[in-house]
C-alpha cells in the first residue's frame, strides 16, 4: 500500500525477451530526475540475480508509488507494466524454445508452451 510513502517492490521474473542488463538500465533512468524537473521514481534498488533467477528489490519514491498505485494505495498493474516496460509484443509465427526436458522444440501456438510449462512452474 502507498499513502504518500516510499514503497518496496520485489521483481522475481522479467518478461520474455527482457534482459537483466536492460532492466537495470531502465532502473538507473528511473532513479534519476525525469529530465523535466520532476522527481525520480525510484529511491534505490538492488540486484541479487543469478544465472537462473531474477531477484531485484526496488524502493519507489513517494512520486513513484503514486505513479503505479491507485487512489486506494494499491498497485495498479497496468500502470506498473507501463512504467517498468513489462509489456511486450512478440510474433508467434516462428516459436522455438527449450522444452521442459531441455530440448529445442518448435511450438505452433503459445498455449502449447503454457501447457508444457505449467507443471514445471508449479514445482
Amino acid at each position: 500500500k502507498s499513502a504518500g510513502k516510499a514503497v518496496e517492490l520485489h521483481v522475481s521474473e522479467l518478461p520474455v525477451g527482457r534482459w537483466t542488463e536492460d532492466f537495470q538500465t531502465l532502473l538507473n533512468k528511473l532513479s534519476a530526475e525525469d529530465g523535466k524537473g520532476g522527481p525520480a521514481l525510484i529511491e534505490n534498488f538492488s540486484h541479487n540475480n543469478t544465472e537462473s533467477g531474477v531477484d531485484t528489490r526496488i524502493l519507489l519514491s513517494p512520486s513513484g508509488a503514486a505513479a503505479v498505485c491507485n487512489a486506494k494505495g494499491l498497485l495498479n498493474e497496468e500502470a506498473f507494466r507501463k512504467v517498468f516496460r513489462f509489456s511486450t509484443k512478440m510474433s508467434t509465427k516462428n516459436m522455438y524454445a527449450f522444452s521442459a526436458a531441455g530440448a529445442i522444440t518448435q511450438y505452433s501456438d503459445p498455449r502449447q508452451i503454457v501447457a508444457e510449462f505449467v507443471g514445471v512452474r508449479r514445482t
Side-chain angles (χ1 to χ4, degrees):
K1 279 187 138 179
S2 162
K5 300 179 190 174
V7 171
E8 183 174 300
L9 300 174
H10 178 222
V11 177
S12 58
E13 294 189 38
L14 294 175
V16 172
R18 189 66 179 277
W19 299 99
T20 54
E21 290 176 15
D22 298 335
F23 187 55
Q24 184 170 350
T25 299
L26 173 65
L27 295 178
N28 284 328
K29 287 180 184 175
L30 294 175
S31 295
E33 290 185 10
D34 69 4
K36 300 174 188 170
L41 298 180
I42 295 177
E43 287 185 4
N44 195 6
F45 66 92
S46 64
H47 292 290
N48 295 310
N49 303 328
T50 64
E51 288 183 16
S52 60
V54 175
D55 181 12
T56 301
R57 305 233 177 226
I58 303 167
L59 183 62
L60 295 175
S61 66
S63 60
V68 298
C69 294
N70 62 24
K72 294 181 181 179
L74 302 174
L75 186 68
N76 178 326
E77 289 184 35
E78 186 176 327
F80 173 79
R81 284 190 203 104
K82 184 177 179 180
V83 168
F84 290 97
R85 300 180 189 154
F86 274 14
S87 294
T88 57
K89 293 184 181 184
M90 298 182 70
S91 171
T92 58
K93 294 183 185 206
N94 191 18
M95 295 186 299
Y96 286 87
F98 285 101
S99 69
I104 294 284
T105 306
Q106 182 177 17
Y107 296 94
S108 59
D109 185 278
R111 288 173 283 222
Q112 286 181 317
I113 297 171
V114 171
E116 181 159 348
F117 284 97
V118 159
V120 174
R121 292 297 294 160
R122 286 186 178 167
T123 59

